[in-house]
Amino acid sequence: KGAAKDKFWKFPLEGVVKLDSAYLTYGKHTWHSVSGAISLEPERIIVNIGTAELCGISTPGILTLTPQEVQLNVEPFAREQVMKTGVTCLLDQDADIGGYFNLSGKINGRGTLTRLQQSLNGELQCRTGKGRIYSGDAFQTIRRVLAILNLTEIFRGKLPDMGQEGFGFDSIRAKMKIRGNVLELEEGLLDGLTMKMTARGVLNLSDQQMDLTVLVAPFKTVDALVNIIPLVDRILGGSLVSIPFGIQGDRRNPKITILPPAAVGEGLLGMLKRTLELPVTVIELFVPFENK
């Protein structure tokens, strides 16, 4: 009481407090194995976080508090962590997914305590090894994309039923940016056993609304088209067919639409070509009525 507005306390209390805790909870999130040092100064408090694990992700960094604002600098990383644990914890859902993931990045922010999240900026890179998805939001979205493809004359009845064996993949790669409450997916690649998907778009972390453009390349030929229209074989020239989709709305139940080829940017197409090391042709699907 009576202290200057640029100081935490009137008298110059200084020192260092060592911190070692089994867990620390803030809002919905709980960090485990927390250790570090809290430096006390009249004008500021510096929290140097040595170890703190959130959902299998280590979050070392520095938190600086002054009477006016909070500064945050964190460098999250994970090495060979269980995907099921990470996805279930971060997304707060019961997802069944096998495999391991690695993650690295930098996140910083500066603002008042109540508006710190809106000031966040950073980059994240994530990569997995082989695995299989059995349930969860991603599983349902991929399943619905496959269902649309199976309705078409090109792929009718040829694509696998994920309900029996799940969706297997060789790797998943993602390069992301954080801008306040928005997570921007700059480059996303799902290297599946039956199809490959590249994606770009955004997810609003506040309301969980997403807007993605996805390019899907099933590992199936277009024999049906070639048999009907021989010229198609010459046009495609042995390239792999890919189909663009839009995924918008709530992350838990988004709307999936077929997009025209013009909606695909060079970035998405380039990612797919580099991964496949094959030429890729983007086509527009026509989904017939179910009774025809």
Side-chain angles (χ1 to χ4, degrees):
K1 184 178 179 181
K5 291 184 178 181
D6 60 344
K7 293 183 173 13
F8 275 106
W9 30 73
K10 186 174 182 179
F11 300 104
L13 177 65
E14 297 186 14
V16 176
V17 178
K18 297 289 182 69
L19 174 65
D20 189 0
S21 176
Y23 69 93
L24 185 151
T25 298
Y26 179 75
K28 297 181 179 180
H29 303 296
T30 298
W31 283 260
H32 296 275
S33 303
V34 181
S35 67
I38 304 173
S39 300
L40 303 175
E41 301 176 12
E43 295 83 9
R44 63 181 181 175
I45 298 174
I46 302 174
V47 184
N48 198 320
I49 306 166
T51 61
E53 192 172 285
L54 174 67
C55 302
I57 301 171
S58 296
T59 57
I62 297 176
L63 183 67
T64 303
L65 300 95
T66 71
Q68 294 79 30
E69 64 179 13
V70 179
Q71 296 181 42
L72 174 70
N73 292 278
V74 180
E75 297 187 6
F77 73 91
R79 297 289 182 271
E80 294 297 312
Q81 293 296 313
V82 178
M83 289 185 66
K84 177 178 173 62
T85 302
V87 171
T88 301
C89 176
L90 286 172
L91 300 182
D92 192 24
Q93 64 168 259
D94 186 17
D96 189 1
I97 179 170
Y100 298 86
F101 74 95
N102 298 309
L103 182 140
S104 62
K106 294 183 179 181
I107 301 174
N108 59 75
R110 183 172 183 171
T112 61
L113 189 59
T114 56
R115 296 189 59 82
L116 182 61
Q117 182 172 337
Q118 287 83 355
S119 72
L120 292 180
N121 283 281
E123 297 181 350
L124 295 170
Q125 297 85 38
C126 182
R127 181 162 188 161
T128 77
K130 292 184 178 181
R132 190 168 288 272
I133 306 173
Y134 296 97
S135 69
D137 293 343
F139 174 86
Q140 294 301 332
T141 300
I142 296 171
R143 190 174 188 175
R144 288 167 62 189
V145 168
L146 282 172
I148 293 174
L149 290 174
N150 264 325
L151 284 175
T152 69
E153 293 297 335
I154 301 177
F155 303 105
R156 184 184 293 274
K158 293 182 178 182
L159 298 172
D161 180 6
M162 287 175 55
Q164 300 295 322
E165 301 178 356
F167 183 83
F169 56 87
D170 285 326
S171 68
I172 300 174
R173 299 200 300 270
K175 183 178 179 182
M176 300 163 282
K177 285 187 176 180
I178 296 176
R179 296 287 182 266
N181 288 323
V182 176
L183 180 66
E184 178 185 350
L185 178 62
E186 285 192 315
E187 295 183 9
L189 172 67
L190 173 61
D191 188 359
L193 301 182
T194 55
M195 68 179 183
K196 295 186 187 292
M197 301 173 65
T198 56
R200 277 186 169 177
V202 295
L203 169 67
N204 190 303
L205 300 176
S206 297
D207 57 15
Q208 297 297 300
Q209 295 293 306
M210 65 193 304
D211 186 357
L212 296 178
T213 300
V214 179
L215 191 57
V216 180
F219 292 159
K220 300 292 180 182
T221 62
V222 287
D223 294 338
L225 276 182
V226 172
N227 289 336
I228 297 171
I229 312 172
L231 181 61
V232 170
D233 190 30
R234 185 182 304 174
I235 295 173
L236 295 178
S239 62
L240 192 66
V241 166
S242 60
I243 303 97
F245 287 87
I247 303 177
Q248 290 94 19
D250 191 287
R251 171 179 62 83
R252 293 166 287 266
N253 186 30
K255 180 181 179 181
I256 300 174
T257 56
I258 300 171
L259 299 178
V264 179
E266 286 298 324
L268 278 180
L269 195 57
M271 278 190 281
L272 198 58
K273 288 179 178 179
R274 290 194 300 272
T275 304
L276 295 170
E277 297 182 349
L278 288 169
V280 178
T281 299
V282 182
I283 66 170
E284 184 171 3
L285 288 185
F286 171 74
V287 179
F289 293 106
E290 292 185 10
N291 63 345
K292 291 191 177 182

